[in-house]
Amino acid sequence: MRRVAGVQRLIFVVFVLGAIATAAGLGRTDRVLGVGLGVVILLAGWAISASIHIANQWEKAVVLRLGKFRQLAGPGTFFLLPIVDTVADWIDLRVRSTTFTAEQTLTKDTVPVNIDAVLFWVVVDAEKAALQVADYEYSLSWAAQTALRDLIGRMMLEDMLSSREAMDAELKRLLDERTGPWGISIQSVQIRDIKIPGNLQDAMSRAAQAERERNARVILGQAEVQVAESFLEAARLYHSDPVALQLRAMNILYEGLKEKASMIVVPSELSDAMNLGTWLGVANAERMEELRRGGDRG
C-alpha cells in the first residue's frame, strides 16, 4: 500500500463523496435506505482502493494468499483481494553493490592482513530470495565476509599480492555456490585494497631493493663476460694473422697522431716491423696540410 497511497486516497474520497450524495438524496424519502446504500458504497470504495497496487519497473512483489505463496506481481499495476492477499516483500531486481572487509586475518604463511572488497550482485529469482532466506542482503554480506576469510587462510601473502584477478575469480566462485540457492547471482568481486603490517612493508621494500641490485650486478657480470669473449676472439684472430695485428696497431697510431698536441712513443722494433716511418710521414704531411689550409682561411 506504500506504493499507491495517493491513488487509494483519491479513489476512497470519490466513493465517500458518492456515498454522502446517495445518502443525502435518499434520506429525504427513506433515511434507512440512504444510510445503507452509503455504507455499501463506502465498503466498495475501500475494497477497490485496497486492491490496487503498483510495482516499479525494477521491482517484483511477492504475493501471499492466506500465508501461502501465490505469485510474483509487477512491474506495473496489479490487483489483490483485500484481507486475503498480502504483499510480503518487494524485491529489487537491479544490480546492487555491497562492501565487505576481513580484518586481521592470517594468511597461509601466518601474516595478518586487512582486505577491503566490493561485491556486485543481482537477484535473479525473487521467489527464492523472499522465501529461502530471511534477509538476503544481510545474509549475503556475511557470506561474502566469511568466504573472503576462508580464501585468505588458504593463500600465501605473495600470491595474494601478485594475483588479485585469480583471487577475485575464486571468491566469485565461492559466493556463487553459497548464494545460488537464495536466487542471487554474483556479477563480480573486486579486491580494493590489501593492507599488511608496516614493519613487513619495510622488510619487503628492502628485499625488493636487494633483488634489483643483485639483478644489476648479474647483468654487469654478463656484459663483462661478453666483452672478454670478444677480446679473446680478437686475440685469436690477431695471433693467426700478424698482418691484421699490424694494421690495427697502425690504425690506432694514426688516429692518435691526428689529434692536436699528440705525441706517441713507439719502440724501434715495433716501428721497423710496421714501417712506421712511411706512415708517420704521411700523417705529418696531412697534418701540415691541415695547418696550411687553416692559415689560408685566416
Side-chain angles (χ1 to χ4, degrees), residues 29-99:
T29 57
D30 190 342
R31 179 171 296 180
V32 176
L33 179 61
V35 173
L37 287 176
V39 172
V40 171
I41 293 173
L42 286 176
L43 291 176
W46 171 81
I48 293 174
S49 63
S51 66
I52 298 176
H53 291 76
I54 299 176
N56 293 325
Q57 180 64 39
W58 58 85
E59 290 178 323
K60 284 288 186 180
V62 181
V63 179
L64 301 181
R65 174 165 292 178
L66 297 177
K68 294 184 178 181
F69 175 77
R70 178 173 177 266
Q71 65 174 355
L72 294 174
T77 304
F78 60 96
F79 298 89
L80 302 180
L81 295 178
I83 302 177
V84 177
D85 293 338
T86 57
V87 177
D89 199 359
W90 299 85
I91 306 298
D92 193 329
L93 301 180
R94 294 173 293 185
V95 176
R96 304 164 71 178
S97 62
T98 299
T99 58

Side-chain angles (χ1 to χ4, degrees), residues 218-233:
V218 169
I219 294 174
L220 180 60
Q222 292 175 350
E224 292 289 343
V225 171
Q226 293 176 358
V227 171
E229 290 177 351
S230 299
F231 282 151
L232 181 60
E233 183 66 24

